[in-house]
Amino acid sequence: MARRAPRALLGLALLSLLAGPPVTAGAATAATPVPLPPEPGSRLLYGLAQAAVVADLDGDGSRELIRLLPRGGSSTELAVDVWRVSSAGSWVPAGPTAFRRKVGADEILSGGPRPDAEGMLPVQNGDPAWLLVVRVAGRDEVVAASAGSTGCCMTFWRVTNPADHVTLTLAGASGIGAQWLVAADMDADGTDELLMGGVGGFTNQAIGGAVNLRLYGWSGDRLSLLTSASLPLLPVVDPGGLPFDASTLSDLQAFELGDTDGSPGTEVGLTTGPSSTVGGSFLLRIALRGGVLGSEAAELAAGFGQTASRPLVNGSQIITGISPGGTYASHWPAGGPLTRDRDIDNSNVPLAFVGSPGNSLLAVRSSSDAGGPLTLYDQAGQPVATVDRADREAGFQGSGDFLAYAGPLPGGLADGRAAAWFSGQLVTASADGSPEVTDSALLAGMTPVGLMGPGGSWMVLARNSRFDATRRGGAVQGSSAPTQSLLSVAPTASVLSPEANHGLLQPLLTGALRPLGSGSDELVCPASGFSLQLLVPPSSRAFFARNATGFPAVPEGEVASPGGRVALQVTPQAEVPFSVRAFVLTPAGHSYSAAWHVRPLTKPPALAAVVDPLPWWFAVPLTGSTDPGAAVTVDGRPVTVDANGHFGGSVVAPPWPVTVRLAAIDLVGNQTVLTVSAVGLIDYRRLPWIPIVVFLTLVAGLALYLGGLHPPRPDPPGSVHQGIFEEIE
């Protein structure tokens, strides 16, 4: 036995020399998740808000948050609550207080729910309702209003927040409902009126071509009807000569327009999208002149194929964006036509005015979510600066409901200047009109509600890009149930800071590997999928979207984290490669993402191999192929596999058959086993024996034949003759 040991060691050494170096299958993408920066003070408020505004309810110079939301958990009834920040910096909630509406006689006679002793019914979750910030004698007031879902009856409430509770004081009621409600100082007395209206009657259907209006004004703490009117919607007719049918319009929107006609008072605007019969986009201007409501109409975009954005107003200047077409400035005197003064930008549309009213800048952006930079124009329409898109926005471009927010900051900054968000940057202008740009949170999939608290030190964000944060009211024709959203509050300083690491999410991937030599975003995973381990701030929203759902991204595996580590499980839906993008949205509006291309490995790898039948030595060459990225062993020893899955090596074999075991293991552990037989020197089993036998037979026959052609040789001299046998009797 001692003599055989050196031979065994020699054989092992020979096998080691003949086998290739080991193959590294893959590497994990990170050892631990990279934690996202903390957001001290940020928090998520309970309850889904249907409407929310910030306003200085008590006149102390600090804004409060007022919400309209379901009353208690899954209640079907709406209520109003108020959140304020104390002088010590703590949050003080008040309410909720029930939100009710008047009931019409027809509703009672139809057998509906019985009203309470005051003739009221609760406003139901999802009913059209408004929270408006109105200016009354120089101070903020908040009005809550709703007519329910029946179209009767619009009821107005003043919202106050004495001590630690919320009070709704009845301010007025109408016997009809409305499609829109807008606050505007239409008579220029320093106090806002409320204009309610509808098309074809105060219902939610657009019929005919009339716009019906009612204007309410303040008398002390009450609202009373000042005037009403039924006016033509648009001074156009269908091509067939029929009266204009408002039902052919799209995207009807009401809003506070501004003072554009040169007469005292603010006008209300009503814009339309293209008509299905005449095309074009229109603006209806509603004004109060001499105590009488009147309207004028103008075409903003002509014909089919063009749409107009909601006009912006700066003084008497009207800024309109046409897509496609660009931005132009116009003026519209009372009783005159809308006159186009100059083109400002040939390809982009207006976003907002920023800065102080007397020296503001116009921000113009591409109509595409992934378009070019923001351009700032001065009062004369000259470009003064551009704001490039932030590279951290790239992960959210084209993501539908999770785009980076682009639009105005409702209520402006604490010092009264108007501001807007663009590609994770807060844009405003100084008192002298110089641009000011601050890198900030992307606010992907979010809508800012406004600043609140002492000095605007807190910001309120809605966690839904479709949330209507309009402070001055409005409505959209034919809209579905109001969009509800969770709200978060965060220190303004936190929101006005950009995402860390350019917004790149760096999770720990458990169960997925990155093949060596591949790109940083290439992964493989088993059929069971893999997990994304994340470390996020409390109340963050984490989810992923795969390419199969496309964009707008359909969130999967969503987690509302209480804080710390969260996990998202990604499971392949098929055996084909797919892309996946992970998102984290924090309560302070910071938006992180990362994307990978994933190749599921759901089956064992292919494996084929052949051995050389004529090695002429005991080291028998072996070659084969497997799936790229798989590792191969030959009798337990690794061999080198190239990028295409080909491998080669040799095994030591005696001159008789031995079994060689090959195994291919892919990056996620799927294994295929194959056995082949090898013979050293020469594999006699694989020789062509039939041809060889035939050949040898022919050779032998030829030899015998050639031997028969030669005559017998004579006996040499002196030799003994061969005797002849004779028969003996």
Side-chain angles (χ1 to χ4, degrees), residues 49 86 128 188 267 273 382 415 463 568 672 708:
S86 71
E267 297 94 51
Q382 298 300 311
D415 59 9
R463 300 179 72 165
L568 301 176
T672 299

Side-chain angles (χ1 to χ4, degrees), residues 444-542:
M446 293 187 170
T447 302
V449 176
L451 300 177
M452 66 172 295
S457 55
W458 293 87
M459 186 171 292
V460 184
L461 302 172
R463 300 179 72 165
N464 191 308
S465 63
R466 302 181 187 275
F467 187 77
D468 184 5
T470 305
R471 295 161 48 84
R472 305 287 284 172
V476 177
Q477 168 202 352
S479 62
S480 57
T483 299
Q484 298 185 341
S485 175
L486 290 169
L487 302 183
S488 62
V489 290
T492 302
S494 178
V495 182
L496 298 184
S497 63
E499 286 78 6
N501 196 30
H502 302 282
L504 179 63
L505 194 61
Q506 295 178 283
L508 169 64
L509 303 181
T510 303
L513 296 173
R514 179 183 300 124
L516 293 181
S518 65
S520 60
D521 61 349
E522 301 290 333
L523 299 176
V524 295
C525 75
S528 59
F530 61 98
S531 175
L532 301 166
Q533 306 287 332
L534 305 161
L535 290 174
V536 301
S539 300
S540 293
R541 183 182 182 188

